[in-house]
Amino acid sequence: MAILVMSDSHGLVREVTQVANRHSVDKILHCGDFCVDHKRDPFSRMTLVRGNCDVPSEVPTEQQTKWRDLHILQTHGHLFGVKSSLLRLHYRAEEVGANVVVFGHSHVPACGVERDILFVNPGSLQLPRGFDVPTYAMIEEAGVKPKTVQVAVTFYDYQGNLVRELGGSYSIRR
């Protein structure tokens, strides 16, 4: 199984529902700027964080999820200045002991490892930047060694087609 990660859907409900129903996953993480009632389906089935365009104060700005050998820090990113640098977000990940960080805000799909921590921005389902089509991501634990975890990140366009230019396999700390 896997974790589905999406962000910056900015009011889309039909498309988010299609993406959420397309895959059989253990968890769905939405990294903020959902911009709709968080109690309605499919958002009520997701682990949500509040983005800069979201209103409900009962939705936190940060969540932590433990799944298999992954400790995931989830945030929108606007409070960490992710459009300029990932440094503050990296410090927060170190602070909480996360080995994976999922975030949005920039609408730019990307992933990579920095000092044994995997950073994943799934892009935007509504307003993509730096890429031609709206995207989301899947994270799968591919293997475990005594000190490391192998993680596969796969990106898809909004219609569920594999985006080969993005993603990959990564080794991160356990």
Side-chain angles (χ1 to χ4, degrees), residues 23-123:
H23 303 277
S24 178
V25 295
D26 291 325
K27 295 182 179 296
I28 302 174
L29 309 180
H30 194 298
C31 296
D33 281 0
F34 45 90
C35 304
V36 296
D37 181 0
H38 66 286
K39 294 175 185 165
R40 79 183 288 183
D41 192 60
F43 300 93
S44 60
R45 298 185 276 136
M46 300 178 183
T47 302
L48 302 171
V49 291
R50 187 171 71 245
N52 57 298
C53 295
D54 296 317
V55 176
S57 60
E58 62 268 24
V59 176
T61 58
E62 182 179 297
Q63 297 258 28
Q64 293 180 49
T65 300
K66 293 195 186 227
W67 179 73
R68 298 186 180 186
D69 290 280
L70 304 182
H71 180 168
I72 302 167
L73 172 63
Q74 174 187 359
T75 188
H76 184 58
H78 64 296
L79 299 176
F80 294 94
V82 298
K83 287 185 179 179
S84 303
S85 167
L86 296 182
L87 185 62
R88 289 172 49 206
L89 192 54
H90 192 281
Y91 286 155
R92 181 64 180 149
E94 291 279 0
E95 208 172 54
V96 301
N99 58 0
V100 176
V101 178
V102 295
F103 66 100
H105 188 55
S106 70
H107 296 214
V108 178
C111 66
V113 173
E114 181 66 35
R115 291 190 303 208
D116 297 323
I117 299 173
L118 174 64
F119 291 82
V120 178
N121 185 328

Side-chain angles (χ1 to χ4, degrees), residues 13-23 42 136 158-159:
V13 175
R14 181 178 43 117
E15 293 86 346
V16 170
T17 302
Q18 290 170 344
V19 168
N21 292 338
R22 182 176 293 136
H23 303 277
Y136 61 95
Y158 66 103
Q159 294 176 322

Side-chain angles (χ1 to χ4, degrees), residues 106-165:
S106 70
H107 296 214
V108 178
C111 66
V113 173
E114 181 66 35
R115 291 190 303 208
D116 297 323
I117 299 173
L118 174 64
F119 291 82
V120 178
N121 185 328
S124 171
L125 281 176
Q126 172 72 302
L127 304 163
R129 293 187 188 125
F131 203 72
D132 294 340
V133 296
T135 55
Y136 61 95
M138 299 279 283
I139 298 174
E140 296 178 81
E141 188 176 291
V144 179
K145 293 183 179 176
K147 293 185 178 183
T148 61
V149 182
Q150 295 299 123
V151 180
V153 180
T154 308
F155 282 80
Y156 296 89
D157 69 17
Y158 66 103
Q159 294 176 322
N161 300 308
L162 181 66
V163 177
R164 296 187 190 282
E165 303 94 316

